[in-house]
Amino acid sequence: MQATVQLNGRVLWLSDRAEAIDRQLAGEVLTRAEAGALRDQISTDEITPARACLAFDESLGDYAYVGLRCNEDTADPAGVFPVKPKAVREGGFALSVAGLRRGKGSSREASPFAEWCAGIRIVIAESFERIYAQNCQNLGLLMSTDLTLAERLQNGEAIPIDAFLEDCDPLGEAVVRSGGLFGYTRRRLSGDIAPPQPAHAAGAMTYGEKIVAKALGVARVRAGDAVFVPASWRFSHEYVTPMAVSFLRHAFGGDVPELHEPATVLCFEDHLTHLDALSEDGSRSPQIVDAAQRLGTVQREFCAQYGLRLHGRAAGGGSEGICHALMLERYALPGQVIVGTDSHTPHCGAIGAFAFGVGATEMANAWLTGDARLAVPGTCLVHLRSRLPAGVGAKDLALHLLHLPYIRDGRAIGQIIEFSGEAVAHLSTDERATLTNMVAEIGGLTGLIVPDDETVRYLRERRGIEVTLEAWMTSDTQASYAHVIEIDCAQLGAMVASPGDPGNGVALAELSAAVPIDIAYGGSCTGSKRDDLRACHDVLAWGLSQGHRVADGVRFYLQYGSEDVRQWCEAQGYAAVFTAAGVTMLSPGCGACVNAGPGVSTASDDVVISAQNRNFPGRSGPGQMWLGSPATVAASALAGYIVGFDQLRRDGFASHTAHTARTVHTACTPAWRSGEASRAGPGG
């Protein structure tokens, strides 16, 4: 690797002002001061929108930043999207600079790969999300959180390479110096290098640290250890598998090594199985559908070649199930390590599995080695005192957590989030999965709940297996936590998040005006479990008893998370209520949550209330998406405006014509009334 770095191209300041972006794309060189405020919290949905990710080769470079939304100099509440296809690649940019929490959201490695293909070789930001940062390192992109480096490079200075390695742990530095993860793996497979192993004396650990230590076969791990942790399961889906296969073949040519323990590798076709429906109504072109089908074909051929288990399309349409939903329902066990190519892999933490998301390069290497790169992080303990009030669920709790300053400001990025307390003890496993799933939105590595009697019950009733919890499966009383958040759950109420970010939380009771809706969507991994659909059923059954169906002008979609969930709902007789209420039922799949199925918006003034986990700009169409619990989504579908179920039962149905004023909300002032306290733990 070279000793110094010089800029061979231009700097692209990812400004919040569309005018500043336009000037740079037109060829003008701006200073940092001239660029103005940089965009914070740029999601991977903005770096590479879902439609771009149907490509898995160098053509991705045409779509770098085409979803970037600028807000500062426009009166349009939906923002302005100044970057057009090919603009970055044709602009000769080699370095791009952003603000806080760059790369939040999906684990898609398509985002840094698109930047690479567009000519970007250095990415700088005030802070990075964990998966995005690791994907950049794995691809060989240089990174830094020192914004002054961008100015120095722009001025022609040669910067020592070590300046770009200061934020790396020793293993990360070795990966970067090897030219990326494949370079490191080649050295590893040849015996030239061995992954580090911690050698600490036995001592107190959190539950998450114990899982990692047990997988490694060492006495103890501590925050800061950089390792490759063996995984019990490795899974991928059709949105990422083809890119991982392409990377693997590019790295090794026709001499790809044998896969490590193929019986522990799973593949799923779940993300794009509903695109056909959008093609039929004209909202997606046949070319897009063809590209999606090509992804499925590549994955099926890969599975056939290596004898891998594939959960594919269901005979009646859609898929067998969403990947991490099926992992929880059929595979994961307490104490296991699970890696998947989906940022919501922590879903499986609901039963005490250490589950985290990885990118395409990481998965391709895990296929060969059986393990995944991990920098052991600190643990943030979220202690949930008291029980949640009736009518308040895990989704409300998750949205409340997301607007807390510690989380909203990105201080929980990369941490293990451990949930404990009375509220957790009284949550079902389905509800616990909502909490651990949305650790992805927190920016954490994984979410964990120490397994207990509820875990044993769930595995017995759902999977027909008896599990004995082992004595080690708990956090030690003397374990060190990086931070502790205390919340009095008795003070919480129903929550929503206004459009643009899951962190835009606001108490439903504090909405300043009614928000009419066009679409209600109860689906995605967060909103399509048994308990989620039970909640929707109960709201709709009440509505029918009051003489109300889905409000005129509202389209309400409910989607099963898996065929297992569908069969259970049908056995409960839910279908009759859903049909009578005017709901459109959808077969399992990710669908609208990845802008690839019914439930997406089609116009910028469409207002959506959704039970999914993300509402980043463009995530599920051009409209304005609010997030809420399944019960809130169902109640809003009945009313025609955003409302909680308790409020609807208490106050009744307002006249829909009285709420026709359309107000697009990009942020709301959070309600800080839940009595939470936040403090640094013994770990600093």
Side-chain angles (χ1 to χ4, degrees):
M1 175 172 275
Q2 72 270 30
T4 60
V5 176
Q6 281 190 291
L7 191 62
N8 185 24
R10 300 171 58 207
V11 175
L12 177 59
W13 303 95
L14 296 175
S15 173
D16 199 23
R17 290 167 39 216
E19 174 265 343
I21 298 288
D22 288 338
R23 289 167 62 190
Q24 293 176 90
L25 296 178
E28 188 174 347
V29 175
L30 301 185
T31 65
R32 178 182 175 185
E34 290 170 335
L38 299 174
R39 258 296 310 276
D40 290 331
Q41 311 207 43
I42 297 175
S43 72
T44 51
D45 284 290
E46 295 179 84
I47 298 173
T48 46
R51 64 185 183 277
C53 300
L54 297 176
F56 54 95
D57 55 18
E58 287 77 6
S59 65
L60 265 169
D62 291 346
Y63 302 100
Y65 312 131
V66 296
L68 182 71
R69 184 176 76 172
C70 297
N71 302 297
E72 188 174 297
D73 54 357
T74 176
D76 187 346
V80 176
F81 301 83
V83 183
K84 301 299 185 286
K86 300 185 180 181
V88 176
R89 171 176 262 165
E90 293 175 353
F93 299 100
L95 161 63
S96 71
V97 192
L100 294 166
R101 299 191 69 178
R102 177 176 182 151
K104 69 186 300 186
S106 167
S107 61
R108 62 183 69 159
E109 194 166 335
S111 294
F113 186 54
E115 291 173 298
W116 173 274
C117 294
I120 301 294
R121 294 295 179 268
I122 306 169
V123 290
I124 293 177
E126 292 180 61
S127 64
F128 293 92
E129 292 288 305
R130 179 195 67 85
I131 299 179
Y132 172 83
Q134 199 150 304
N135 286 339
C136 287
Q137 292 177 359
N138 291 339
L139 288 170
L141 283 165
L142 295 179
M143 303 169 56
S144 178
T145 54
D146 181 357
L147 269 62
T148 65
L149 292 181
E151 296 175 285
R152 292 165 62 189
L153 286 166
Q154 190 174 42
N155 291 331
E157 185 176 341
I159 307 294
I161 187 66
D162 290 345
F164 297 93
L165 302 175
E166 290 179 357
D167 296 325
C168 294
D169 58 61
L171 185 52
E173 180 175 341
V175 167
V176 174
R177 289 189 182 278
S178 298
L181 187 56
F182 279 116
Y184 183 93
T185 297
R186 282 196 208 90
R187 296 175 62 194
R188 183 180 170 190
L189 293 176
S190 69
D192 181 48
I193 194 170
Q197 283 278 89
H200 309 298
M205 290 184 286
T206 66
Y207 174 57
E209 291 167 346
K210 287 182 179 181
I211 296 176
V212 176
K214 190 173 180 65
L216 289 168
V218 300
R220 186 186 187 193
V221 298
R222 300 173 64 181
D225 289 337
V227 300
F228 279 92
V229 61
S232 304
W233 296 103
R234 293 153 287 158
F235 73 87
S236 186
H237 53 70
E238 86 276 22
Y239 219 19
V240 176
T241 300
M243 179 175 286
V245 171
S246 175
F247 287 175
L248 194 64
R249 291 172 178 164
H250 185 267
F252 292 97
D255 193 26
V256 175
E258 290 295 316
L259 270 57
H260 179 88
E261 296 183 2
T264 62
V265 177
L266 299 165
C267 288
F268 298 84
E269 188 168 357
D270 62 351
H271 272 57
L272 305 173
T273 54
H274 283 272
L275 264 180
D276 295 354
L278 295 184
S279 175
E280 291 171 2
D281 69 13
S283 57
R284 294 294 185 277
S285 70
Q287 291 82 2
I288 287 179
V289 176
D290 289 345
Q293 292 175 341
R294 185 171 72 249
L295 296 179
T297 298
V298 171
Q299 178 171 256
R300 287 191 292 274
E301 291 173 348
F302 175 68
C303 290
Q305 179 181 356
Y306 289 97
L308 306 180
R309 174 70 185 271
L310 171 65
H311 289 282
R313 291 177 176 248
S319 64
E320 288 184 53
I322 298 170
C323 54
H324 32 285
L326 278 180
M327 288 301 301
L328 177 59
E329 292 171 10
R330 300 190 185 181
Y331 295 101
L333 290 172
Q336 289 186 334
V337 174
I338 299 170
V339 295
T341 59
D342 196 290
S343 58
H344 292 109
T345 299
H347 194 89
C348 297
I351 58 167
F354 193 103
F356 60 98
V358 298
T361 299
E362 201 114 45
M363 182 53 66
N365 281 269
W367 287 337
L368 304 180
T369 64
D371 52 28
R373 180 179 158 209
L374 173 67
V376 179
T379 298
C380 174
L381 178 65
V382 180
H383 186 244
L384 304 171
R385 302 193 312 272
S386 308
R387 298 180 64 165
L388 288 168
V392 180
K395 181 64 172 292
D396 302 302
L397 177 54
L399 294 177
H400 173 78
L401 284 168
L402 284 166
H403 82 204
L404 298 182
Y406 181 79
I407 291 169
R408 177 72 179 170
D409 295 345
R411 287 179 280 168
I413 289 176
Q415 292 184 337
I416 298 167
I417 310 298
E418 179 183 327
F419 298 96
S420 70
E422 183 183 358
V424 173
H426 288 91
L427 288 178
S428 69
T429 298
D430 277 0
E431 285 281 84
R432 292 176 179 188
T434 295
L435 283 183
T436 61
N437 176 295
M438 292 191 67
V439 164
E441 281 62 55
I442 289 173
L445 168 72
T446 190
L448 276 173
I449 293 172
V450 172
D452 57 11
D453 290 344
E454 162 59 19
T455 310
V456 174
R457 180 207 64 80
Y458 175 88
L459 292 170
R460 180 190 303 120
E461 294 183 9
R462 298 287 181 95
R463 309 233 304 253
I465 60 176
E466 292 293 337
V467 172
T468 300
L469 302 180
E470 300 178 34
W472 67 269
M473 293 179 173
T474 188
S475 291
D476 294 327
T477 55
Q478 299 302 312
S480 176
Y481 289 95
H483 194 78
V484 178
I485 296 174
E486 298 266 1
I487 296 178
D488 181 2
C489 292
Q491 302 300 312
L492 295 182
M495 295 282 296
V496 289
S498 63
D501 195 284
N504 292 340
V506 59
L508 256 180
E510 298 194 4
L511 281 181
S512 58
V515 180
I517 63 169
D518 302 290
I519 300 170
Y521 176 66
S524 84
C525 51
T526 314
S528 61
K529 305 179 293 297
R530 283 189 187 183
D531 285 4
D532 303 323
L533 290 167
R534 179 193 285 120
C536 291
H537 166 270
D538 292 350
V539 173
L540 294 171
W542 173 85
L544 289 171
S545 74
Q546 305 298 305
H548 287 272
R549 301 173 75 250
V550 172
D552 291 343
V554 174
R555 289 161 283 159
F556 186 16
Y557 300 91
L558 283 178
Q559 189 156 27
Y560 303 108
S562 69
E563 284 296 320
D564 296 348
V565 172
R566 180 211 290 267
Q567 292 168 12
W568 181 84
C569 287
E570 290 176 348
Q572 304 305 305
Y574 288 178
V577 169
F578 294 153
T579 300
V583 177
T584 298
M585 297 305 302
L586 302 173
S587 53
C590 296
C593 188
V594 289
N595 203 15
V600 300
S601 58
T602 57
S604 61
D605 60 352
D606 281 343
V607 178
V608 184
I609 178 72
S610 175
Q612 67 191 62
N613 37 46
R614 288 180 180 150
N615 59 345
F616 299 129
R619 172 76 183 182
S620 299
Q624 305 301 304
M625 175 175 285
W626 294 71
L627 301 181
S629 71
T632 295
V633 170
S636 302
L638 290 176
Y641 52 90
I642 295 177
V643 65
F645 185 33
D646 282 353
Q647 180 183 350
L648 189 61
R649 285 188 294 187
R650 183 183 68 246
D651 300 340
F653 291 81
S655 171
H656 188 49
T657 57
H659 300 280
T660 54
R662 293 281 174 176
T663 302
V664 178
H665 298 254
T666 56
C668 288
T669 302
W672 307 98
R673 297 187 176 180
S674 58
E676 70 273 355
S678 184
R679 67 177 187 273

